[in-house]
């Protein structure tokens, strides 16, 4: 990324404002605080895209909770199996002691979460649910539905609020459509 003008020119339009994000996240936080009251809650975030959402969501949760991270690498098509996701950075917790809530940035094809959920369920958590900030339902390649979705969005490449293009734009405080042509 060479200059500020080029950086800005690729932000096509704001899709979800900072205020809209904060309002929904506040609501989600209070709903989760009720649902998990009295239960050992572990928030699991898949790096890197969900780190901003996790940071805001956990501060709207008013009950005790713990936080853990994992990172995955996906292999699509080519010579490898479509839909294979490898865990390249592991959770520290033994999740069999917890009600696990996966905190995800965006569901696109559904391949990542479908496989991650399968792998984590095999570790026998007390329960396992998924909350996603964004859902591109039109882009699904495998059947997968989150338990909680904050925003359904059209099938366009988005950036900001943790989501990147080439590692840039994660620090935008809003969600924007990325202009891939410019
Ligand atoms: P899925 O396995 O559902 O196709 O992909 C999920 C992952 O793909 C997300 O966690 C995210 O890292 C990436 N991804 C999917 N759509 C977008 C998008 O519009 N923008 C960005 N920045 N990443 C995306």
């Amino acid at each position: 990324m060479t200059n500020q003008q080029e950086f800005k020119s690729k932000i096509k339009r704001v899709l979800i404002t900072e205020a809209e994000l904060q309002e929904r996240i506040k609501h989600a936080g209070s709903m989760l605080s009720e649902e998990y009251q009295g239960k050992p809650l572990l928030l699991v975030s898949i790096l890197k895209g969900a780190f901003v959402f996790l940071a805001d969501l956990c501060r709207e949760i008013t009950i005790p909770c713990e936080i853990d991270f994992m990172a995955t690498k996906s292999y699509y098509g080519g010579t490898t199996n479509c839909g294979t996701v490898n865990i390249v950075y592991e959770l520290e917790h033994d999740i069999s002691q917890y009600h696990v809530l996966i905190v995800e940035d965006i569901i696109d094809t559904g391949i990542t979460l479908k496989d991650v959920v399968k792998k984590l369920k095999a570790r026998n958590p007390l329960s396992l649910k998924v909350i996603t900030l964004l859902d591109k339902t039109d882009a699904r390649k495998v059947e997968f539905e989150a338990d909680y979705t904050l925003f359904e969005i059209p099938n366009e490449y988005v950036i900001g609020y943790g989501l990147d293009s080439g590692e840039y734009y994660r620090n935008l405080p809003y969600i924007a459509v990325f202009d891939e042509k410019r």
Side-chain angles (χ1 to χ4, degrees):
M1 186 70 45
T2 48
N3 63 52
Q4 184 83 1
Q5 254 182 343
E6 190 193 342
F7 178 85
K8 282 204 170 152
S9 73
K10 298 210 169 185
I11 303 169
K12 198 171 177 181
R13 67 175 197 282
V14 176
L15 194 62
I16 307 169
T17 66
E18 199 174 350
E20 287 167 334
L21 287 166
Q22 297 310 325
E23 191 199 323
R24 287 282 175 91
I25 292 168
K26 202 174 177 62
H27 181 261
S30 66
M31 185 255 315
L32 294 170
S33 303
E34 262 184 47
E35 174 166 348
Y36 289 98
Q37 177 76 52
K39 295 177 179 169
L41 171 61
L42 180 67
L43 304 178
V44 166
S45 178
I46 305 174
L47 294 168
K48 299 177 195 171
F51 79 101
V52 180
F53 177 39
L54 174 74
D56 282 348
L57 181 67
C58 75
R59 284 177 292 174
E60 297 296 344
I61 293 178
T62 53
I63 57 168
C65 67
E66 293 176 52
I67 287 165
D68 208 344
F69 295 95
M70 63 192 294
T72 60
K73 198 166 173 52
S74 306
Y75 297 95
Y76 299 101
T79 53
T80 54
N81 288 342
C82 182
T84 305
V85 176
N86 281 356
I87 297 175
V88 294
Y89 178 78
E90 255 302 350
L91 296 173
E92 285 177 355
H93 287 72
D94 167 7
I95 63 170
S96 67
Q97 310 299 313
Y98 292 92
H99 291 271
V100 173
L101 181 65
I102 300 178
V103 179
E104 180 62 313
D105 51 356
I106 185 165
I107 307 177
D108 184 27
T109 63
I111 290 170
T112 307
L113 273 182
K114 189 167 185 156
D115 202 43
V116 167
V117 163
K118 190 173 132 200
K119 286 186 162 89
L120 294 192
K121 273 193 175 159
R123 300 180 193 181
N124 298 313
L126 297 174
S127 70
L128 181 61
K129 285 192 174 183
V130 173
I131 183 165
T132 186
L133 179 69
L134 308 172
D135 191 342
K136 290 194 219 173
T137 45
D138 292 345
R140 267 317 179 280
K141 289 194 179 151
V142 295
E143 233 176 89
F144 185 83
E145 257 190 70
D147 297 280
Y148 310 106
T149 299
L150 273 57
F151 298 92
E152 282 191 14
I153 62 165
N155 191 7
E156 293 180 283
Y157 197 82
V158 291
I159 51 171
Y161 201 72
L163 290 155
D164 76 314
S165 172
E167 291 300 325
Y168 288 100
Y169 302 101
R170 293 193 197 274
N171 57 326
L172 295 178
Y174 49 81
I175 299 283
V177 176
F178 183 66
D179 194 343
E180 292 174 271
K181 287 185 228 84
R182 292 181 77 136

